[in-house]
Amino acid sequence: MSLIKKISLDYMAIKHDQNFDNLSERFRKNIYDSPKGQIRLNILWRDLLEQIPEIETGGLSILDVGAGQGNFALQLAKKNNQLTLCDLSNNMLLDAQTLFSENKLEKDARFIHAPVQELSEHIAEQYDVVLFHAVLEWLAEPEQALKQLLKFIKPGGYLSLMFYSRTGLIYQNLTRGNFNNILNNSLSGEGKSLTPTNPQDPDDVYRWLKGLKLNTVLKSGVRVFYDGISRERRKQINEEELLELEKRFSRIEPYCSLARYIHVLCQKQDVGFID
Ligand SMILES: C[S@@+](CC[C@H](N)C(=O)[O-])C[C@H]1O[C@@H](n2cnc3c(N)ncnc32)[C@H](O)[C@@H]1O
C-alpha cells in the first residue's frame, strides 16, 4: 500500500471526537495521580502568570473548553477568577464539579455539558482567557474547533492552547525502538487507549493560528524528557528537581519541539470580530 493511501486511511479512521466518559478513571490515574499532571500544571501556570499576571490577583473571566476533571481550572478559581467549564463528557464534568465543591468553589463557577461545536447555544459572552488543553488531538476536525473558539475570546484576550505533538510522539517511538508504529504510520490511539486519536503536527497548528490572526506570545514544551525516563528510575527521582528541569528545558530548542505536548499562548488581535 502506498504511503499516501495509508495516511488517508489513518485520517479516515478518526470519525468522531473522543468522549471521555469511559476514560475518566484511567485519565486521573495516568495523568493527575502522577508527575505528568504536576508537570502540566506547573508549565501552564508559569506560562500564564508570566504573560497575564492578573491570574494571580483574580477577576478574570476564563472559559475552559474540554476542561475534563477541572484540575487547572481549580487552580485559577482559587485565585478568585471567574471560571466556566465545558466538556463533551458528562462524567468528566461531574468529576470537575465534585472537585470544585470539595474546595467550596462550585457556586462561583459555571459548568456546561456541551461539545465545543455547540457552545454558542450556551454562551453569548466573550472571555479574557480561553483554555483549550489536550483536546485538539481528540477531535475529528481540530481546525474547525479552533475557529469556533475564536468568537469566545475578547479582542486583546488570550487563547492558551496545549496540544499533543505528532513530532514528540514520532521521536519517542523511534527512541523506544517502536519502528512498526512509524513504518505503518499507525500513530493514532484507539478505543480505551489514552494515546490520542489525532496527534497534531505542530506546523499545521501554527498555520491555523496564524490564519485566525492569533499571535503567538510564547511557546513551551510540556513533558520534554519525563516520558523517556525508565519506570525504575522514575521511582528514585526527586519531583522538585524534575519540575525545575522540565521548566528549564521547556523553552529551549530543540527540547521544546520534541516534547509530548506543546503549549502555545496566543493573543487575539484587537481588531474586533473574525468569524
Ligand atoms: C485529555 S482530556 C483533557 C482535560 C483537561 N483539559 C486537562 O488538560 O486535564 C480531553 C477532554 O476533551 C473532551 N472533549 C473531547 N471532545 C470534545 C468536544 N468536541 N468538545 C468539548 N470537549 C471535548 C473529553 O471529553 C475530555 O474530557
Side-chain angles (χ1 to χ4, degrees), residues 17-21 27 31-32 40-41 44 64-72 86-90 92-93 114-118 131-139 145 162 194 261:
D17 300 352
Q18 178 69 58
N19 183 316
F20 266 49
D21 274 349
F27 180 71
I31 303 295
Y32 289 106
R40 183 182 291 203
L41 295 175
L44 290 172
D64 192 351
V65 182
Q69 289 156 332
N71 308 69
F72 190 57
C86 94
D87 204 286
L88 173 67
S89 157
N90 201 33
M92 294 291 266
L93 206 62
V116 54
Q117 297 86 349
E118 290 172 16
L131 312 177
F132 204 39
H133 294 158
V135 187
L136 210 59
E137 61 271 16
W138 295 100
L139 305 181
M162 187 182 86
L194 277 181
Y261 291 85

Side-chain angles (χ1 to χ4, degrees), residues 197-228:
T197 44
N198 197 6
Q200 293 299 300
D201 183 332
D203 286 338
D204 286 341
V205 178
Y206 303 148
R207 201 183 58 251
W208 299 337
L209 292 172
K210 212 170 161 199
L212 294 171
K213 301 212 173 355
L214 287 162
N215 297 328
T216 298
V217 292
L218 63 81
K219 193 168 76 177
S220 296
V222 181
R223 281 163 48 199
V224 164
F225 62 84
Y226 178 74
D227 294 28

